[in-house]
Amino acid sequence: MVPETPLSADSPDVALAVDLDGTLVRTDTLHENLLVLFKRAPWLVLLLPLWVLKGKAYFKAEVARRAALDASLLPYNEELLGFLQEEKARGRRLVLATAADQRIAQAVASHLGLFAEVHASDGQENLSGARKLAKLKASLGTFDYAGNDAVDVPLWRESRQVVVVHAPSGVLKQAHGLGRAVHRVFEKPKTSPRVWVKALRVHQWAKNALVFVPLLAAHKAASLDLLLKAVLGFAAFSLCASSVYVLNDLLDLDSDRRHPTKKNRPFAACTLPVSVGVVMAPLLLLAGAAVCLLLPPAFAALLATYYALTLAYSLRLKQVVMLDVLVLAGLYTVRIFGGSLAVGVPTSSWLLMFSTFLFLSLALVKRLSEVRRLRLSNETSAHGRGYLAQDYEQLASLGAAAGQVSVLVLALYITSKEVTVYYDHPERLWLLCPVMLYWVGRIWVLAHRGQVNEDPLVFALRDRVSYAVGLVAALVLWAAT
């Protein structure tokens, strides 16, 4: 525990200047603004170099003008906020002093209602380092300062007392060596490995097990060579999927922060900086591409298509009613087709039809759960989605129908000539139909009850009944062989 230096009796007469990025909020507002800009108008990224050439202040102003953040949704440092509220109650004059654009700074100040003054970049002057120091000395004379970065060291050197917020150890050491009283240190929370796992959404990799389906359906799982190729296909899809999940979380910060559970995701909650995510996404994609070098070129082409489709989904398609669930169903089916290309085993048209309808049903389960949440919270629409609370019944009927059609496709396959190629007793496969009818029906009943509040496949991996259903299905397939 770092000792604190008590404030002197006249401390309320000395203003406390507070930095914004990394101090008052646990993020960099410029980084978040750039992500919003990329999501709303990706073509404007081409103008970024031109804005930079006109100076940092101009660059920040242009970005902020086109992609204003919602100040109410920013991840504030709650511990620091509590401290500032106490200081304001004691009569302390609080000043927001930041290199962020004035649009953002003013929005934050208006939302919090704590600051008597706001000093920020104005499109011409980038209020950082020496410029910020000169502004504070001219405006306040003597001041205390709360910051978090090495760029704040000169301001601490000239301030009366120092408040260090979530600073790296090296910066904290510099602050203590300035000869100024360090009044308060807000220590930076440690990032656990679990946060990284959560950011990569490793639990979602289970969906990529679909690449093994063609190998199992062709009864060639005993081939170690083909099994290795399927494992590589699984790895490539998992790395690319994590890249997409990271990118999707970065582009959905506002929507996630409005959501009761998604607000706890690492980037929305800023337990991982958004700058880390910006680096992670391309690195994961490159790692997935590297794995593709060990697989047929057709698999690499399909994975590139998968990535492009998921990127389009993140940017726009998930906001289009019904198209979003069709894309989700297609992405599941693409995994199966990818497994076929990885191992060189042809994919049955029956399998593709079955998976399309089944995964459409499961995608609609996911949307139904979101719309049900809207109803319970008395909201009419979800931010970043095209669905309304009144769509609940229609989604339920469409999803249940798609699930039943998937079982119908299974029944038609059992009566086809193709089934005799792999099964000596195809008539026993009829037992799969009631098994699937039970599982699909149960998923929908639980969704109506609000007990499926996540991806249905992920739910199934945590559901004992689903494991029992899978075991029964496996026994039926074994008996039919």
Side-chain angles (χ1 to χ4, degrees), residues 228-303:
L228 176 59
K229 290 181 178 179
V231 170
L232 290 173
F234 172 83
F237 264 104
S238 296
L239 289 167
C240 280
S242 286
S243 174
V244 172
Y245 290 138
V246 169
L247 182 58
N248 183 72
D249 286 353
L250 292 175
L251 297 177
D252 267 1
L253 291 174
D254 276 7
S255 298
D256 286 352
R257 287 168 182 163
R258 288 184 171 93
H259 196 277
T261 57
K262 293 180 181 180
K263 66 182 180 182
N264 297 318
R265 286 177 173 175
F267 297 112
C270 277
T271 49
L272 278 181
V274 295
S275 57
V276 170
V278 171
V279 175
M280 283 174 62
L283 287 180
L284 289 165
L285 178 59
L286 288 174
V291 175
C292 287
L293 297 177
L294 304 173
L295 294 168
F299 176 85
L302 181 75
L303 194 63

Side-chain angles (χ1 to χ4, degrees), residues 342-390:
V343 301
V345 174
T347 304
S348 164
S349 58
W350 290 106
L351 177 59
L352 293 178
M353 282 192 292
F354 170 76
S355 63
T356 297
F357 284 107
L358 178 62
F359 295 134
L360 174 59
S361 179
L362 296 181
L364 286 163
V365 166
K366 190 174 182 180
R367 289 294 174 264
L368 184 86
S369 299
E370 294 172 356
V371 171
R372 183 179 184 276
R373 191 180 296 113
L374 287 179
R375 282 192 164 188
L376 293 176
S377 58
N378 293 319
E379 297 179 51
T380 57
S381 62
H383 185 268
R385 301 290 184 185
Y387 295 95
L388 305 176
Q390 66 195 49

Side-chain angles (χ1 to χ4, degrees), residues 199-456:
L200 295 175
R201 295 206 217 167
V202 173
H203 66 283
Q204 296 280 8
W205 289 4
K207 294 186 287 189
N208 299 320
L210 292 169
V211 300
F212 294 99
V213 170
L215 195 63
L216 296 171
H219 295 208
K220 294 185 178 181
S223 171
L224 293 180
D225 180 55
L226 295 181
L227 184 59
L228 176 59
K229 290 181 178 179
V231 170
L232 290 173
F234 172 83
F237 264 104
S238 296
L239 289 167
C240 280
S242 286
S243 174
V244 172
Y245 290 138
V246 169
L247 182 58
N248 183 72
D249 286 353
L250 292 175
L251 297 177
D252 267 1
L253 291 174
D254 276 7
S255 298
D256 286 352
R257 287 168 182 163
R258 288 184 171 93
H259 196 277
T261 57
K262 293 180 181 180
K263 66 182 180 182
N264 297 318
R265 286 177 173 175
F267 297 112
C270 277
T271 49
L272 278 181
V274 295
S275 57
V276 170
V278 171
V279 175
M280 283 174 62
L283 287 180
L284 289 165
L285 178 59
L286 288 174
V291 175
C292 287
L293 297 177
L294 304 173
L295 294 168
F299 176 85
L302 181 75
L303 194 63
T305 303
Y306 165 84
Y307 196 87
L309 190 58
T310 50
L311 182 59
Y313 175 81
S314 295
L315 290 174
R316 181 71 181 93
L317 299 183
K318 66 181 177 183
Q319 302 172 26
V320 183
V321 173
M322 285 308 299
L323 182 58
D324 63 330
V325 289
L326 289 172
V327 171
L328 283 178
L331 290 174
Y332 282 118
T333 305
V334 162
R335 290 174 169 93
I336 295 176
F337 194 51
S340 174
L341 293 177
V343 301
V345 174
T347 304
S348 164
S349 58
W350 290 106
L351 177 59
L352 293 178
M353 282 192 292
F354 170 76
S355 63
T356 297
F357 284 107
L358 178 62
F359 295 134
L360 174 59
S361 179
L362 296 181
L364 286 163
V365 166
K366 190 174 182 180
R367 289 294 174 264
L368 184 86
S369 299
E370 294 172 356
V371 171
R372 183 179 184 276
R373 191 180 296 113
L374 287 179
R375 282 192 164 188
L376 293 176
S377 58
N378 293 319
E379 297 179 51
T380 57
S381 62
H383 185 268
R385 301 290 184 185
Y387 295 95
L388 305 176
Q390 66 195 49
D391 296 329
Y392 184 87
E393 287 77 14
Q394 187 63 35
L395 289 174
S397 61
L398 288 171
Q404 302 304 308
V405 171
S406 70
V407 182
L408 175 61
V409 172
L410 174 62
L412 292 173
Y413 167 68
I414 294 171
T415 61
S416 69
K417 294 180 180 180
E418 288 91 332
V419 74
T420 59
V421 176
Y422 300 113
Y423 300 96
D424 295 331
H425 306 284
E427 68 281 356
R428 297 176 183 176
L429 293 175
W430 281 108
L431 292 173
L432 288 176
C433 291
V435 170
M436 283 301 302
L437 287 170
Y438 167 74
W439 187 78
V440 171
R442 178 175 176 272
I443 285 288
W444 274 97
V445 169
L446 294 179
H448 274 279
R449 294 177 180 176
Q451 296 176 358
V452 183
N453 295 316
E454 56 192 332
D455 189 297

Side-chain angles (χ1 to χ4, degrees), residues 37-38 40-49 51 62-63 66-67:
L37 182 68
F38 178 73
R40 292 180 182 174
W43 56 88
L44 288 179
V45 173
L46 299 174
L47 296 178
L48 295 183
W51 298 342
E62 289 299 303
V63 173
R66 291 170 169 82

Side-chain angles (χ1 to χ4, degrees), residues 15 20 152 188 329 335 389 416 463:
L20 178 62
D152 296 315
K188 188 175 184 178
R335 290 174 169 93
S416 69
D463 178 43

